Amino acid sequence: MSSSDVARQGDKNARPLSLSGHVGFDSLPDQLVNKSTNQGFCFNILCIGETGIGKSTLMDTLFNTNFENFESSHFEPKVKLRAQTYDLQESNVRLKLTIVNTVGFGDQMNKQESYQHVVDYIDTQFESYLQEELKIKRSLHNYHDSRIHACLYFIAPSGHSLKSLDLVTMKKLDSKVNIIPVIAKADTISKSELHKFKIKIMSELVSNGVQIYQFPVDDETVSKINTAMNGHLPFAVVGSTEEVKIGNKMVKARQYPWGVVQVENENHCDFVKLREMLICVNMEDLREQTHTRHYELYRRCKLEEMGFKDTNPESKPVSLQETYEAKRQEFLGELQRREEEMRQMFVQRVKEKEMELKEAERDLQGKFEQLKRLHSEEKGKLDDKRRSLEDEINTFNKKKAAADLLQGQSFTNSNSNAKKDKDRKNSGFM
């Protein structure tokens, strides 16, 4: 029996099955939801604003929690970014929330120092994530993602225009983070002033080319509400954790002598709009935009700085291995070139040192010869003086001996004369 006959016989024996029930791959969204719920979520908020503008109070009000807050003065020498992470849970959803506060922002004389520390912090978080991605053995599933997902930029309620520091800072950050501008302490200006202030802020942002975060309108389920909310930017907010009794219920509010400002009353401020847009509707989009837009831009720039490209000059694809090998050869060549330069420099310095030592040796030899000559001259002078002194001593000794001899002769003569005189006297008396 041939192979074709065997195949036909096998086809006859095959039993066809028809789909008689539900297959079940439409449960994939539910599986993703269950997996995400089990893993939990992370969300990181950066609060930028001057000291005392109400950043901590707004965070407490947003998440209905009393976070750990630290009082800061207006005399900080430089901007410090303080990150605090909290584990929150609502129903069966766990959220790892990180709040990053800028301490001392705008208090320095050199305003460049204010925004540069913020830029460096955001880049540092991107770099940490990139280094984790580039590892051979990665663990991104349990990696604590510290990249900033939303930046709440607090604008002082001056009612006039943005400060130059605000414009410069937002311009530096708009390609790195999702900026959501908010007018803090909006209860300090009237409604008409607030409306004009919002228009003025948006006009200045557009004229200066600052790209703030726009709520997405491509999703039909949220396009209507996001379109409406984009027209309310920047949000004018009021934060308070104090509760005041209004009618028969307790509400979060700020009580003044002239009345009560209810935080969750949309006629009083935009706090509810901010909370709904930031947490309820667009939190996942903020996370996605951070990864697909801002982080990808940082990653692409860093890899291009390292020399990695997708295509060669001929627009042909280049594999990562080829690029790595090329960079490795380039690095080894550069290393060899530097090694040769260092070797040549070392040889040159050794020669220079030898020349210096030989020159020093010649100088020492010259000084030695000079000292030797001076020593010889001094020794000759001392020998001459010694011979002169010896001659003087010999002459003196001769003179002394002659004097002693003359003195002895005179003494002998005087004694003989004295004896003769005595003898004469003795002979006379007799």
Side-chain angles (χ1 to χ4, degrees):
M1 184 180 292
S2 63
S3 58
S4 58
D5 295 335
V6 173
R8 283 194 294 271
Q9 185 67 28
D11 292 339
K12 293 179 180 179
N13 295 331
R15 185 177 58 154
L17 292 176
S18 60
L19 296 178
S20 60
H22 182 63
V23 175
F25 58 80
D26 61 349
S27 65
L28 277 174
D30 297 332
Q31 296 177 35
L32 289 175
V33 169
N34 293 333
K35 182 179 179 181
S36 300
T37 303
N38 293 330
Q39 289 180 349
F41 301 88
C42 71
F43 192 64
N44 307 319
I45 301 177
L46 172 63
C47 299
I48 302 179
E50 61 188 39
T51 305
I53 203 169
K55 301 185 292 294
S56 301
T57 303
L58 183 64
M59 289 298 102
D60 291 347
T61 313
L62 270 176
F63 294 94
N64 196 25
T65 305
N66 290 322
F67 296 118
E68 185 179 4
N69 298 319
F70 300 90
E71 293 185 3
S72 57
S73 65
H74 288 272
F75 304 101
E76 295 290 341
K78 64 178 182 179
V79 177
K80 295 184 293 185
L81 282 89
R82 182 184 294 131
Q84 295 172 281
T85 302
Y86 306 94
D87 292 321
L88 306 180
Q89 185 165 349
E90 190 174 65
S91 298
N92 63 334
V93 179
R94 292 179 293 107
L95 177 68
K96 181 173 285 188
L97 175 68
T98 299
I99 299 175
V100 184
N101 195 4
T102 53
V103 181
F105 181 80
D107 293 338
Q108 293 74 33
M109 293 296 293
N110 185 0
K111 301 302 181 184
Q112 181 179 359
E113 295 293 328
S114 294
Y115 69 79
Q116 190 59 48
H117 286 84
V118 181
V119 173
D120 294 341
Y121 179 85
I122 296 174
D123 286 343
T124 301
Q125 312 316 310
F126 283 152
E127 184 64 25
S128 299
Y129 194 88
L130 178 61
Q131 292 301 321
E132 184 65 27
E133 272 195 334
L134 294 177
K135 286 182 179 179
I136 296 176
K137 187 177 181 181
R138 301 182 297 180
S139 57
L140 292 174
H141 61 282
N142 59 1
Y143 174 77
H144 180 208
D145 186 3
S146 59
R147 296 173 298 176
I148 301 299
H149 300 121
C151 170
L152 294 181
Y153 197 96
F154 289 73
I155 301 171
S158 62
H160 301 290
S161 61
L162 289 171
K163 299 178 182 178
S164 58
L165 176 61
D166 298 332
L167 287 172
V168 172
T169 303
M170 284 192 274
K171 184 62 179 176
K172 292 289 183 180
L173 296 178
D174 62 357
S175 62
K176 298 177 180 295
V177 70
N178 301 310
I179 300 176
I180 302 176
V182 296
I183 301 173
K185 297 183 177 180
D187 53 339
T188 58
I189 55 178
S190 64
K191 280 192 173 183
S192 59
E193 290 176 337
L194 185 61
H195 180 68
K196 294 178 182 178
F197 191 34
K198 283 188 175 185
I199 297 174
K200 181 68 173 177
I201 289 173
M202 294 305 296
S203 175
E204 290 183 346
L205 293 177
V206 172
S207 62
N208 287 275
V210 178
Q211 299 292 327
I212 64 173
Y213 175 73
Q214 294 289 319
F215 303 118
V217 296
D218 51 353
D219 188 354
E220 295 181 357
T221 58
V222 294
S223 61
K224 185 176 180 180
I225 186 173
N226 280 346
T227 302
M229 290 303 161
N230 282 329
H232 286 281
L233 290 173
F235 292 129
V237 297
V238 177
S240 176
T241 56
E242 298 178 1
E243 292 190 346
V244 178
K245 189 173 183 179
I246 303 294
N248 296 326
K249 62 179 181 178
M250 302 295 291
V251 296
K252 290 184 175 63
R254 299 185 71 89
Q255 192 165 14
Y256 296 97
W258 45 262
V260 177
V261 177
Q262 300 179 36
V263 173
E264 296 178 328
N265 188 335
E266 295 191 49
N267 293 322
H268 292 182
C269 68
D270 297 332
F271 173 79
V272 175
K273 295 183 178 67
L274 174 64
R275 183 176 61 188
E276 186 176 4
M277 290 295 98
L278 182 66
I279 302 175
C280 303
V281 180
N282 298 302
M283 179 182 284
E284 182 56 32
D285 185 73
L286 288 164
R287 286 158 41 89
E288 183 181 353
Q289 286 290 322
T290 299
H291 183 78
T292 58
R293 179 186 170 194
H294 302 298
Y295 170 70
E296 283 299 319
L297 176 62
Y298 177 84
R299 175 180 173 273
R300 185 172 70 248
C301 293
K302 290 297 289 186
L303 292 179
E304 288 177 353
E305 288 178 7
M306 296 167 62
F308 292 98
K309 297 180 179 179
D310 293 332
T311 58
N312 57 17
E314 299 175 357
S315 299
K316 293 182 179 180
V318 179
S319 67
L320 182 63
Q321 184 177 357
E322 292 176 357
T323 306
Y324 172 76
E325 287 296 331
K327 295 298 294 183
R328 181 174 179 273
Q329 293 300 325
E330 181 182 348
F331 173 76
L332 292 176
E334 180 69 15
L335 185 63
Q336 187 175 2
R337 185 184 64 81
R338 290 188 179 183
E339 184 179 354
E340 183 64 23
E341 288 181 356
M342 293 180 66
R343 191 183 68 81
Q344 293 292 340
M345 188 181 296
F346 177 75
V347 172
Q348 182 66 25
R349 288 188 177 181
V350 169
K351 289 182 179 179
E352 292 176 358
K353 199 64 178 179
E354 287 180 351
M355 294 287 291
E356 291 178 2
L357 291 175
K358 288 181 179 179
E359 186 68 25
E361 185 180 0
R362 285 194 295 269
D363 292 342
L364 289 174
Q365 186 66 28
K367 290 180 180 179
F368 175 74
E369 294 294 335
Q370 184 180 3
L371 291 174
K372 186 177 179 182
R373 185 172 63 256
L374 292 174
H375 174 72
S376 178
E377 292 176 356
E378 291 292 331
K379 184 179 180 183
K381 291 178 182 179
L382 289 175
D383 290 340
D384 292 341
K385 287 184 179 181
R386 183 175 59 79
R387 285 193 294 270
S388 176
L389 287 173
E390 288 178 352
D391 292 340
E392 290 179 1
I393 291 172
N394 291 332
T395 302
F396 176 77
N397 289 333
K398 290 178 179 179
K399 289 181 178 181
K400 182 180 178 182
D404 291 341
L405 180 61
L406 290 175
Q407 186 178 3
Q409 290 178 354
S410 62
F411 181 74
T412 304
N413 291 333
S414 62
N415 287 337
S416 61
N417 290 334
K419 187 176 180 181
K420 287 179 180 180
D421 291 338
K422 186 177 180 181
D423 290 341
R424 280 198 301 270
K425 287 181 181 181
N426 289 335
S427 62
F429 286 116
M430 290 180 65

